[in-house]
Structure formats: structure tokens, C-alpha cells
């Protein structure tokens, strides 16, 4: 009996319905297992931002913009425009980006550009939020939303055009051509040593490919200290907490290998993790965590970040255990060339599980079965591990019980009876065979690269696994094993699979679009191939939208024929043949047939796509502060969960690539030469006495040549305004280079994210902070609004390190004539500054307080109304009468400054 919340509808929008799943048996787990689930779940959710950024370079900024408006907008929230904006945000959350999670096409906004800009202005003026979204950067985001020609597809994997240019997924820097990327990795594989080639790394799996100014390609590796480092550090912290609750030493070693992989980014460590994870088949609680599936990469190499935490379903796992025990028999009897068979399948294991947490690329939409690892050589030598997710499968079943979908497309009474009788058994068994044996079957010929099929790999690999499952669904051996009741059951699987591949999956495609997603292409490939061959034999026919199968037995040889060919293509690395097969059967959609399908489907009023909200796990503490239990709550709404995740699991900045490239730039040869020449000039003019004097005052640098500011200014004047040079020398721990970098940074190239990164890296050095405000931010028209944004962002989300710089920038801007026009912003800024200065516990003023005090004095000079308000304020009176010498000093300083201007 399922929990009443299981399979329940939470909300519906666009073409999506959100369901709820529950975790059967969670309450009965011992506390150690519950805590293991909890910490693994925290590690899963901590990677959420990575998936957003991988799906598109602007995804995190757009999420921040739209979430901010959704939270703070005070206008009419029931208007058509606002409801359309809400739907757009809900879709962005669902897809971790602005492209459809299946079709890959960009969402079409049903609100106007003018509404969005007006809503943003209202939030900025009335709530003092989202002040960073202005000028060129705001225009860039608005163009991305409203211009259909910008980033129209997240992933394109077929066609004559350059696949990288046609795709907007954030795995390759703009401008890198497909041929360049393919050559880069082809050469990288060729350069592997003999030892490395024996256990080849999955090159490109955990990196973004970028290029220097002069076109040299290099990888930005996902690791702690590298790209996505802050998220991976957080993930690793939770994984370390989970170590205390591992069920076995093998499981502990698996997590330690994963931690080493996240620390170093080395793919050999990832291989170690995969090997240990595959071998660890005993635990009740298990997990997936990492850069895994490559479907989103147009070249099929780079892994999307995803995670699942799941609990073994003991009774149902007996079914998959039977299949795994027979792996050798299935492989030996596969209808493929004996050269392509595995001689003795090793380490094949499979379980039926209940998922406890979904994250990254597996959330909110999730697969119902998974087989890992992906590396063929690990599968061949060490085996694979499969899971069938029972509670997700059952939630789907409950939600679709009365949808009417089957009846809308199946009118034959005998076929309806067949499906009703057998489909509950055959659907799960097909998933088991696909994951447990299909993906683990077959082998590559010696010397064939696992990347040989390129962009066609994912579709053909899914087709191979499905064909393997379909072929054996009709085998008497399954009846002998007790997995099917009789020789009629397979027919339900065949009918449903072909109906889906030919007709019903097309309800998920928009008119005028073609098939893009690998699983949809694989199903179309198989169904259309079988239809073509079967019609010629008179075994089946498609009459309009009515599929009729006249001879089920005749279909199995056709499936065997296609399986043999797909296996040959993979084993030999025959990309031309693979491409021909995919392009012929798996891409195009007949527009007339599609229109008829959509018209019939629309009458049902059901959502073609479904996803899930996660349970909310809560630690329970006893009177002594110890953890006494972990509770799973099933009451959180969709928007409620997404906003909470934004608050609790924002582990990356809004432009992680921009921040990373500023902190760890990869210079061109010309930039390196110029920087080397500049450093030589600094060394020639160094003054050790000045440098020593600065060190004695607490101004520490890795290198300080002791040049005066006048000398630095003269050197800077000889240099061009050059963003690449500025970024490189700013990354060096050399005092003079950092100051010169500020002076030569072209303001038009400076983004909010880069400004924030520079501020965070200089916050502890008052000299650099002050020079940054003067040399760089004085030149940028958006700087005062960025400073306000740093200060007025809610405390749980803001960077405290940026506040001294923010107040310093505003002090200088007020002196230069800047004025805040919004009364709400004025009120919030004043309240924030007064609160910071009202701490009576501090024995001496902090740098932050001094910066806030300076800002108030400069603001008061230029603003008579503020000056009058401050002089009459309760805060100033309270400070003057305080027992704290620091507070009295603030009062005296502020009064002296402001009264002289009254």
C-alpha cells in the first residue's frame, strides 16, 4: 500500500505536470541508514547550480533575475503577463535552463519585453532588489529571452551544420568549431601512454573546452580549485559527513575515490571510483553522484552533473537478480556476430530501488532505470550496475491510471485486453533487460575508440539496449525463469513499444520540430525500421494512426537483424553507417501525421511530460542536542521547493565561467610576453625600502616591488586598454601588477560577475580595495548600482566580503554627484549602514564600519535631506550617549562632518 501522497499531482504548467513520490520503508530504517541518506541527499542537492550552468552560460543569471521578480513583485500577480512570467520561471526550473528538457528548443515567452522591464524597474525601485540587472548585461539577458534567433537550441546532434555553433549548451567556449574540438580530443587519445590506453580515461567528461585569444584550446576542469570548485567543495563536505555512516569498507573506499576525483579532477581517479562503485553491490543505501550522462553535449563526450540517492527494494530485486545470474546465457545467445560478444560477462548486478533524492540532470524529470558506468572497458573488465526505480515507476502508473491515453490511440478490444493483462509486468521487465543486460552487452573490437560514433553514440547506444530487451522479451527462457507468465505476454511489450515509437511519443514534439532527444530518436529508429520491414512481410501495418500487428512472431527476426547491425556499428566504430541509420529513421517528423496526433491528444487534456518534487528531509534533535531521527516530509509545493533550494543550495556565482577565467586566466603567448616585459620593468624600478615599510603596516603581497603610485600610473599610461592582459596580471599576486590591471581594464568589458570577483579577492587589502574603487569603478556607470546590490541583497544570499568595497564605491560616487532617486533604496541603504554602526560589542571600529561611516559622511555632504535626517536620528543620539567609546566616536565624527555642511 502506497502513502496517500504517492503519485499525487502537485501542480501543472505548460506541457508539464509535477507529481510527488514517497520513500517506502524510510521510517523503518535504522538511524544510521537514515543519516547516510540525509548526507548523501545534501551532497546531491549541493550540485544543483552546476546543471544550470552546463545547460547554458546565462541560466543562473536568468534564474536569479526571474526568481527575484517572482519574490518581490508587488504589482498585479493575477495578470496574464505575470502568470506567463511565472510559467516561464517554472519551466526554467524544470529544465535547469531555458530550453525544453526533451525537445531542446528554447522556450517562447508569453509575456512582453516591456512587462518584464517594468516589473524589474518596480522591484528595483520599490524593494531595492536586483539592482545589478542594468545596462548592457540586462539587454543581453532580454535579447536571450525574446530573440528567437539567439541560442534557439540547447543541443543539436545531427545535420550538416557545425554542431557546436548550432548548440548553446555550455560545454564549449563560443567560437570553437566542431572540427577543432574533435581534433583536440582525437589527438589527446592518441597521446595516451600504453598504460593509460589500457584503462583509458573518459576524456572531456569533466571539463569545459575553451580557447586563448590566439586560438589555442585548453580544458577548464571541474574540480575543487577549478571550474565549479565552490560547488564541488560543498558536495565533498557532505560526502565526508556521509563517510561515518557507510555500510561497508568497500562503500567507504568508493566515496574516498570520488572525493579524490573532485579534489584533483583527474579522470584516473574517476575510473577508480567507477570500479569500486561497480564492485560494491551489497549496500542497502546507494547513490549516483557526478558528471555522468553525455546526452546534452552535442559531441556526446561531456558529462552532465547528476545525483540520485536510493534504497534497495529487497523483494523486487529478486527479479533483477535472476536476470543478472543468467547474463552469460543471454550474451551467448544474442543474435550478433560472435566477434562482438563478450566472452564471459563480469560483475553484472542490478537492483530495484526506491529513490530518496533526485538532483541535477535527474531532477525534476528523472529516468526510471539507470545503468552505469558508461566506460565500455570498465563494463568489460569489471561489470556494470543497474537500478530500476520502482517508486518513480509506480508514481507514474498511479498518475496515468485514468488518463485515457491508451484508449485514445488503441481502439482494438483484443489489444486493449492484452495491454491491460500484461503491461504491468512487461514494462518493468523491459526496463530491467535494457539496463541490466542491454547496456552491458557486446564489446568493441580492439583499437576502436569509445568516442568513434561521436554525436550519434547516445542514440545508437540506447537503441542497442532497447533492441536487446525487445529481442529477449519474446524468448521462452524468460518464461522458464518465471519472469513472464506465458508466451503471449511479450506481445504487450511489442505493441506498446512500437505504438510509442511511431505515434504517442510525438505528443511531446512541437509542430514543425524534429526529434532531438536521444531516447526519442532511439525509439523512433527501432519502430520505423520494424514498420518498414514488417509491412513488406505483411506482419503489421499503420493505417492512419491505427497500429495493427498481424504477426507478432515475424517481428522478432526484424529486431534481431537491427540489433546485429547496431552492435556491428558500435563494435567497429562505423560512424558513417550509424549516421545514415539515425538520419534515415530517427530525426524527421511527418507534419500531417503529427498534426493529427496532436489534435487527438489535445482532447485528453493531459500533460505529456511529468516530473517530481523531492521529499524534504529534516533532522530531529533530542534534548541534549543529539540527532534522534530523520523525518521525510511530503508537503512541499513546487515553487516552494525551488525557492528553498535557491536559498539553501546556491553554491556557485551567477557566472561561474566568468569568475573562474578572471581568477585563473589562460593567457595567449602575446599576453604572456607583454606581462613578462612589464614585470621586468617593475623589477628594474623596485624600491625595497618602500616595500618593507608597507609590510610593516600590514599590507602583504606575494611580491611588492615598492613602486610609488606616480610611477605605476606612468607605466599604465603606456599600455593599451586590454581586457586579456588586465585579467592575467590581476590574477598575479604582485602589488604593482594588480594596480596596473585595474587601470588598464576596459570598463566596457567589465561585467557584474567580474566586478564581484575582483571585490571578493581584494576585500582584505585596504590599499587594493581603495584603488579598485578609484581606478576601475569610478570609470563604470553601473558601479554605484552594483555596490547597492552587494549591500542590499538579503543577508542569507549576500557576500559580506563585498560590503567594505560597496560602501567605498558609494562614498566616492556621492562625492562625484551620484544621487539615489528611489526612496526605498535610500531607506534600505541608510538602515543597513546605521545597523552596521550600532554594534556596541566591538572594542574598535572594523574596516566595514569605517567604510560605512565614510559613505554616510559623503552622502550627507551631497544630500541635504539625508543630512537633516541623520542629525536628528535616534541612532546618532543613542551613539552619543552610549557607554561604548567606539559608538561615541562615530557620533562625534558624523556630527562634526555633517554640521559643517549645514
Amino acid at each position: 500500500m502506497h502513502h496517500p501522497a504517492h503519485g499525487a499531482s502537485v501542480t501543472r504548467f505548460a506541457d508539464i505536470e509535477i507529481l510527488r513520490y514517497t520513500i517506502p520503508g524510510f521510517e523503518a530504517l535504522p538511524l544510521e541508514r537514515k543519516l547516510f541518506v540525509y548526507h548523501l541527499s545534501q551532497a546531491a542537492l549541493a550540485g544543483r547550480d552546476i546543471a544550470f550552468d552546463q545547460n547554458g552560460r546565462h541560466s543562473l543569471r536568468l534564474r536569479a533575475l526571474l526568481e527575484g521578480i517572482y519574490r518581490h513583485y508587488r504589482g498585479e500577480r493575477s495578470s496574464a503577463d505575470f502568470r506567463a512570467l511565472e510559467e516561464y520561471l517554472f519551466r526554467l526550473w524544470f529544465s535547469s535552463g531555458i530550453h525544453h528538457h526533451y525537445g531542446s528548443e528554447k522556450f517562447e515567452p508569453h509575456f512582453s519585453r516591456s512587462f518584464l522591464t517594468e516589473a524589474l524597474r518596480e522591484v528595483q525601485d520599490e524593494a531595492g532588489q536586483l539592482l545589478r540587472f542594468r545596462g548592457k548585461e540586462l539587454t543581453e539577458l532580454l535579447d536571450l529571452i525574446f530573440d528567437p534567433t539567439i541560442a534557439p537550441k540547447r543541443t543539436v546532434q545531427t545535420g550538416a551544420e557545425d554542431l557546436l555553433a548550432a548548440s548553446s549548451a555550455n560545454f564549449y567556449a563560443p567560437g570553437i568549431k566542431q572540427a577543432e574540438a574533435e581534433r583536440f580530443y582525437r589527438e589527446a587519445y592518441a597521446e595516451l601512454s600504453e598504460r593509460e590506453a589500457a584503462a583509458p580515461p573518459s576524456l572531456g567528461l569533466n571539463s569545459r573546452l575553451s580557447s586563448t585569444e590566439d586560438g589555442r584550446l585548453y580544458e577548464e576542469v571541474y574540480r575543487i580549485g577549478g571550474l565549479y570548485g565552490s560547488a564541488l567543495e560543498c558536495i565533498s563536505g557532505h560526502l565526508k559527513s556521509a563517510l561515518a555512516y557507510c555500510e561497508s569498507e568497500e562503500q567507504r573506499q568508493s566515496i574516498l575515490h570520488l572525493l579524490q576525483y573532485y579534489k584533483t579532477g583527474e579522470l584516473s581517479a574517476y575510473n577508480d571510483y567507477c570500479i569500486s562503485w561497480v564492485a560494491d553491490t551489497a549496500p542497502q543505501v546507494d547513490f549516483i553522484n557526478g558528471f555522468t550522462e553525455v546526452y546534452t553535449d552535442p559531441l556526446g563526450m561531456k558529462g552532465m552533473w547528476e545525483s540520485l540517492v536510493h534504497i534497495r527494494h529487497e523483494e523486487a530485486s529478486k527479479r533483477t537478480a535472476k536476470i543478472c545470474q543468467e547474463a552469460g546465457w543471454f550474451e551467448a545467445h544474442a543474435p550478433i556476430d560472435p566477434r562482438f560478444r563478450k566472452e564471459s560477462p563480469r560483475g553484472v548486478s542490478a537492483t530495484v530501488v526506491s529513490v530518496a533524492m533526485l538532483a541535477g540532470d535527474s531532477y525534476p524529470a528523472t529516468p526510471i532505470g539507470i545503468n552505469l558506468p558508461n566506460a565500455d572497458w570498465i563494463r568489460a573488465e569489471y561489470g556494470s550496475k543497474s537500478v530500476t526505480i520502482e517508486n518513480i515507476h509506480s508514481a507514474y502508473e498511479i498518475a496515468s491510471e485514468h488518463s485515457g491515453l491508451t484508449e485514445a490511440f488503441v481502439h482494438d478490444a483484443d489489444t486493449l485486453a492484452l495491454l491491460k493483462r500484461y503491461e504491468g509486468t512487461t514494462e518493468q521487465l523491459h526496463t530491467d533487460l535494457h539496463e541490466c543486460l542491454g547496456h552491458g552487452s557486446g564489446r568493441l573490437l580492439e583499437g576502436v575508440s569509445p568516442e568513434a560514433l561521436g554525436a550519434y553514440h547516445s542514440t545508437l547506444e540506447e537503441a542497442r539496449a532497447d533492441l536487446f530487451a525487445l529481442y529477449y522479451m519474446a524468448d521462452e527462457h524468460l518464461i522458464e525463469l518465471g519472469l513472464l507468465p506465458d508466451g503471449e505476454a511479450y506481445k504487450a511489450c511489442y505493441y506498446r513499444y512500437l505504438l510509442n515509437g511511431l505515434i504517442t511519443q510525438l505528443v511531446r514534439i512541437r509542430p514543425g520540430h524534429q526529434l532531438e532527444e536521444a531516447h526519442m530518436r532511439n525509439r523512433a529508429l527501432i519502430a520505423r525500421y520494424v514498420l518498414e520491414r514488417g509491412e513488406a512481410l505483411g506482419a503489421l501495418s499503420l493505417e492512419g494512426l491505427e497500429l495493427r500487428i498481424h504477426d507478432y512472431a515475424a517481428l522478432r527476426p526484424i529486431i534481431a537483424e537491427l540489433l546485429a547491425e547496431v552492435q556491428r556499428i558500435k563494435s567497429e566504430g562505423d560512424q558513417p553507417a550509424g549516421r545514415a541509420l539515425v538520419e534515415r529513421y530517427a530525426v524527421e517528423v511527418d507534419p500531417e501525421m503529427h498534426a493529427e496526433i496532436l489534435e487527438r491528444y489535445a482532447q485528453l487534456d493531459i500533460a505529456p511530460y511529468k516530473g517530481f518534487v523531492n521529499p524534504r528531509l529534516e533532522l530531529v534533535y533530542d534534548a541534549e542536542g543529539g540527532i534522534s531521527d530523520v523525518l521525510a516530509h511530503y508537503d512541499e509545493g513546487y515553487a516552494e521547493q525551488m525557492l528553498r533550494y535557491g536559498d539553501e543550495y546556491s553554491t556557485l556565482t551567477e557566472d561561474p565561467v566568468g569568475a573562474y577565467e578572471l581568477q585563473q586566466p589562460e593567457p595567449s603567448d602575446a599576453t604572456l610576453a607583454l606581462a613578462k616585459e612589464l614585470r621586468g620593468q617593475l623589477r628594474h624600478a623596485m624600491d625595497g625600502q618602500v616595500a618593507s615599510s608597507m609590510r610593516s603596516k600590514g599590507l602583504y603581497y606575494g611580491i611588492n616591488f615598492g613602486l610609488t603610485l606616480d610611477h605605476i600610473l606612468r607605466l599604465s599610461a603606456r599600455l593599451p586598454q586590454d581586457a586579456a592582459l588586465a585579467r592575467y596580471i590581476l590574477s598575479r599576486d604582485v602589488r604593482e601588477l594588480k594596480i596596473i590591471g585595474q587601470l588598464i581594464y576596459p570598463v566596457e568589458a567589465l561585467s557584474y560577475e567580474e566586478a564581484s570577483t575582483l571585490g571578493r579577492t581584494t576585500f582584505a587589502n585596504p590599499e587594493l580595495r581603495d584603488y579598485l574603487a578609484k581606478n576601475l569603478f569610478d570609470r563604470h556607470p553601473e558601479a554605484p548600482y552594483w555596490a547597492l546590490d552587494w549591500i542590499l541583497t538579503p543577508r542569507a544570499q549576500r557576500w559580506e566580503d563585498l560590503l567594505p568595497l560597496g560602501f567605498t564605491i558609494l562614498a566616492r560616487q556621492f562625492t562625484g554627484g551620484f544621487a539615489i532617486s528611489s526612496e526605498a533604496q535610500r531607506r534600505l541603504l541608510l538602515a543597513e549602514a546605521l545597523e552596521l554602526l550600532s554594534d556596541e560589542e566591538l572594542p574598535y571600529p572594523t574596516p566595514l564600519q569605517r567604510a560605512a561611516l565614510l559613505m554616510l559622511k559623503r552622502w550627507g555632504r551631497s544630500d541635504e535631506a539625508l543630512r537633516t535626517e541623520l542629525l536628528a536620528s535616534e541612532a546618532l543620539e543613542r551613539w552619543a550617549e552610549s557607554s561604548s567609546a567606539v559608538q561615541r566616536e562615530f557620533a562625534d565624527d558624523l556630527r562634526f562632518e555633517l554640521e559643517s555642511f549645514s
Side-chain angles (χ1 to χ4, degrees), residues 298-319:
L299 301 187
M301 299 178 64
K302 300 189 172 295
M304 282 291 295
W305 196 89
E306 70 173 306
S307 184
L308 297 94
V309 183
H310 48 80
I311 304 164
R312 183 195 297 268
H313 190 302
E314 296 294 347
E315 183 61 31
S317 292
K318 294 176 182 177
R319 180 182 76 238

Side-chain angles (χ1 to χ4, degrees), residues 1-9 20-23 27 395 398 634:
M1 180 67 69
H2 288 293
H3 188 285
H6 192 67
S9 180
R20 197 179 300 284
Y21 71 89
T22 60
I23 318 170
E27 295 80 1
I398 291 170
Y634 307 111

